[in-house]
Amino acid sequence: MESKFTGGLLGMIGIGILQGLIITFTFGLGLPWAVCVKERWIAKHTIIDGRQLTFDGTGGQLFGNYIKWFLLTLITFGIYGFWLTIKMKQWVVKHTHIV
């Protein structure tokens, strides 16, 4: 079976511009939605062993986690911040599926 990524440079630039607009016009509150736009695009263009990936996460779900992670980081004086990259990756993988 073949695994490949079919996305192109123009698509990635377009997603980056869209993310920037979302984040800018929402003063940063739209970051979870911007993340989901990118992850959905990546999954749409990824084929693993001949099977398409799909991403079903939503900005609303991620926003709830962002609030929780932000509060945990504050409460622990920034220590929880070391785990944020892992938590984010776990959330993305949890919402990425093979069709």
Side-chain angles (χ1 to χ4, degrees), residues 43-57:
K44 180 181 175 183
H45 291 89
T46 302
I47 298 169
I48 306 276
D49 288 334
R51 297 175 69 191
Q52 181 71 50
L53 292 185
T54 185
F55 179 77
D56 67 3

Side-chain angles (χ1 to χ4, degrees), residues 2-8 12 37-55 89 92-93 96-99:
E2 185 179 357
S3 297
K4 61 183 174 179
F5 180 74
T6 61
M12 183 61 83
V37 165
K38 183 176 182 181
E39 292 301 332
R40 194 165 288 110
W41 183 83
I42 290 170
K44 180 181 175 183
H45 291 89
T46 302
I47 298 169
I48 306 276
D49 288 334
R51 297 175 69 191
Q52 181 71 50
L53 292 185
T54 185
F55 179 77
K89 184 54 78 178
V92 168
V93 169
T96 303
H97 310 283
I98 297 176
V99 178

Side-chain angles (χ1 to χ4, degrees), residues 15-76:
I15 290 297
I17 291 170
L18 180 59
Q19 283 185 297
L21 291 172
I22 291 170
I23 294 167
T24 300
F25 287 115
T26 61
F27 301 104
L29 292 176
L31 181 63
W33 286 269
V35 168
C36 288
V37 165
K38 183 176 182 181
E39 292 301 332
R40 194 165 288 110
W41 183 83
I42 290 170
K44 180 181 175 183
H45 291 89
T46 302
I47 298 169
I48 306 276
D49 288 334
R51 297 175 69 191
Q52 181 71 50
L53 292 185
T54 185
F55 179 77
D56 67 3
T58 67
Q61 295 167 334
L62 187 53
F63 187 77
N65 281 319
Y66 266 50
I67 298 298
K68 178 178 68 176
W69 297 337
F70 176 73
L71 292 174
L72 285 169
T73 302
L74 283 178
I75 291 169
T76 62

